[in-house]
Amino acid sequence: MTSRDLDSRAAAVDPLGPVRDPQEPGCDVFLTGTVFLDIIFTGLDSAPVRGTESWARGMGSSPGGVANMATALARLGLRTSLAAAFGDDHYGEYCWDALEQGEGIDLSMSRTIPGWHSPVTVSMAYEGERTMVSHGHEAPPPADAGPFPHCPPRARAAVAALGAGRGEEWIGEAARHGSRIFADVGWDDSGRWDLGALADLEHCEAFLPNAGEAMRYTRTDCPRAAARALAEKVPIAVVTMGAEGSYAVDGRTGETAQVPGITVDELDPTGAGDVYVAGFVTGTLAGWPLADRLAFAGLTAALSVQEFGGSLSAPGWPEVAHWWRTAPHALRGRYGFLDDLIPPGSGPAARRRAVPTIGFRHSA
């Protein structure tokens, strides 16, 4: 069997194959949010300086925002449904095609809005950090009382971004229809960091903040203590700790797990948190042990930061397979569960990278 054959088989990996049931919903994961057109500049030696012109050595474009998470889920083999608004400009058309045709994401609950322009983010990556400038307007509500996004489809799971003091009707609706809710959270601009203000936490099976967010919400000074405190509020609490890896507590069983991070040459951290959540959701729906879920989520996030951009840096099974074929011996034990998912072999996997332009015009 050739390396190309092996990569083809890896691309077709269905991590939920052993647990699929014809009676269960056809959608694995539902999510909703704002899709941005991301324009990413890389190869900057330092942050731009006021009053000067900076030249970047690299540039790419790709769908961003909630598209980062949707793409990461789809590339890991999950049947993904996204409800989002798209502008009827070239940017919106590009993002729609990239997600539906390029990634196989179900956009039947999404809509194109005449006269509304797509939100745009310009991201500048340098010194392992990023600076972003965004522009956009809130999408107008649908003209009718249609399904967007208050009647989510039946799905095994849903991914939500929680906000202080902001409840989302669809989250409770999805939970009532049997979806397992996985949530992360953003920075609290109010500075209150009130865990009680996360109205939809009661519907969640798993909550995955980073260490800074977790410690602020729990008033603790240790990520592990924060995870234990969060596990009193939600069945599974996962706290990501950057290069140190992640720590999780299953509040139902008392089980804990910690997996160190994987050292890689980091180019751009954009979207790494989304990729981590996607990896954890995949392992959870597949029924893996808690430690394996942390390991897989950390691995996919590490692979993503080696490329620039958000959605197009998300790894699929070919990238995971290539890493596993060349993984250091010291990691073979920890990631041995990949043997059951990836066929043996060798050879580099083709990686999709962001391209400099929205689209090329091809001659006949």
Side-chain angles (χ1 to χ4, degrees), residues 117-156:
H117 75 76
S118 301
V120 176
T121 292
V122 174
S123 176
M124 292 162 281
Y126 53 88
E127 299 175 352
E129 296 293 340
R130 57 178 177 165
T131 297
M132 296 186 293
V133 178
S134 297
H135 173 72
H137 303 282
E138 186 174 352
D144 55 25
F148 179 91
H150 301 298
C151 298
R154 288 188 63 240
R156 295 169 181 266

Side-chain angles (χ1 to χ4, degrees), residues 80 122 201 271 273 296:
T80 304
V122 174
L201 196 60
F296 185 71

Side-chain angles (χ1 to χ4, degrees), residues 29-36 38 62-82 99 103 105 157-162 170 182-185 208 270-282 297 300 309-315:
V29 186
F30 170 79
L31 65 166
T32 184
T34 302
V35 173
F36 289 77
D38 280 358
S62 62
V66 71
N68 294 340
M69 179 76 72
T71 300
L73 291 163
R75 289 190 172 187
L76 292 177
L78 302 189
R79 301 165 184 171
T80 304
S81 177
L82 170 64
L99 297 173
E103 305 296 344
I105 295 168
V159 179
L162 304 187
W170 74 266
F182 298 77
D184 61 8
V185 68
L208 299 94
T270 303
D274 295 322
V275 172
Y276 184 97
V277 174
F280 187 83
V281 170
T282 300
T300 54
S311 61
L312 288 185
S313 70

Side-chain angles (χ1 to χ4, degrees), residues 46-54:
S46 61
V49 177
R50 184 173 61 181
T52 67
E53 180 179 16
S54 299

Side-chain angles (χ1 to χ4, degrees), residues 314-361:
W317 286 103
E319 287 79 28
V320 174
H322 176 57
W323 179 86
W324 180 232
R325 294 168 192 154
T326 59
H329 180 75
L331 297 177
R332 304 298 295 184
R334 170 60 272 171
Y335 292 87
F337 64 92
L338 293 176
D339 270 335
D340 296 329
L341 293 163
I342 299 172
S346 61
R351 295 181 179 182
R352 292 189 59 190
R353 292 179 171 84
V355 296
T357 60
I358 299 302
F360 291 101
R361 293 186 180 274

Side-chain angles (χ1 to χ4, degrees), residues 234-259:
V234 67
I236 300 176
V238 180
V239 175
T240 58
M241 302 181 292
E244 293 184 43
S246 54
Y247 180 82
V249 178
D250 187 328
R252 296 166 299 192
T253 65
E255 179 186 5
T256 64
Q258 181 171 350
V259 175

Side-chain angles (χ1 to χ4, degrees), residues 155-249:
R156 295 169 181 266
V159 179
L162 304 187
R166 187 189 77 241
E168 298 279 0
E169 180 181 342
W170 74 266
I171 297 176
E173 188 71 16
R176 285 189 288 274
H177 284 85
S179 294
R180 303 163 74 175
I181 310 298
F182 298 77
D184 61 8
V185 68
W187 189 262
D188 184 359
D189 291 328
S190 73
R192 290 190 291 270
W193 298 99
D194 178 10
L195 194 60
L198 300 182
D200 291 311
L201 196 60
E202 62 177 319
H203 301 303
C204 297
E205 172 171 332
F207 184 41
L208 299 94
N210 64 37
E213 296 159 349
M215 290 188 290
R216 285 176 173 86
Y217 272 117
T218 58
R219 309 297 192 270
T220 58
D221 58 4
C222 169
R224 295 160 189 80
R228 292 191 291 270
L230 290 172
E232 297 177 2
K233 303 291 185 180
V234 67
I236 300 176
V238 180
V239 175
T240 58
M241 302 181 292
E244 293 184 43
S246 54
Y247 180 82
V249 178

